[in-house]
């Protein structure tokens, strides 16, 4: 997704699905917190629906790509719903 398109039509990532993918690869949410240098409580809030900031979302997607592969990460980005 281009940066311009993302700015004009921001998307909402399915964070729950990202975590399900990571867990399927053996990466538990607590480990995500450690790898991203975040407090466990922050990751718990994400899991409950708190929206991630841009840098947090990028870091989570990079982690997802590393563990789940670029094609699945791209699929999840394509599935993201428009934010209106």
């Amino acid at each position: 997704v281009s940066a311009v398109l993302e700015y004009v039509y921001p998307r909402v990532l399915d964070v729950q699905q990202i975590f399900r993918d990571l867990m399927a690869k053996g990466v538990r949410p607590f480990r995500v917190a450690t790898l991203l240098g975040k407090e466990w409580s922050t990751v718990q809030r994400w899991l409950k629906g708190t929206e991630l900031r841009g840098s947090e979302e990028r870091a989570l997607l990079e982690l997802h790509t590393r563990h789940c592969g670029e094609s699945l990460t791209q699929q999840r980005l394509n599935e993201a719903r428009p934010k209106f």
Side-chain angles (χ1 to χ4, degrees):
V1 178
S2 76
V4 172
L5 184 60
E6 189 67 23
Y7 177 75
V8 176
Y9 298 105
R11 319 245 337 138
V12 176
L13 187 66
D14 185 348
V15 175
Q16 301 285 333
Q17 183 60 57
I18 295 295
F19 275 96
R20 282 193 295 273
D21 293 342
L22 287 167
M23 287 175 48
K25 296 294 184 178
V27 183
R28 302 288 178 242
F30 188 81
R31 180 81 175 130
V32 170
T34 301
L35 291 170
L36 297 181
K38 297 293 180 183
E39 296 291 329
W40 170 232
S41 59
T42 299
V43 172
Q44 286 178 310
R45 285 193 297 276
W46 295 347
L47 288 166
K48 291 179 182 176
T50 299
E51 195 170 317
L52 284 72
R53 292 179 296 178
S55 61
E56 294 169 333
E57 186 173 282
R58 281 189 300 278
L60 183 60
L61 287 171
E62 287 173 15
L63 186 66
H64 187 271
T65 301
R66 189 175 334 137
H67 290 278
C68 302
E70 190 173 333
S71 62
L72 184 57
T73 302
Q74 187 59 54
Q75 179 183 334
R76 297 301 179 230
L77 285 169
N78 293 340
E79 295 168 350
R81 62 181 171 77
K83 177 181 176 182
F84 294 105

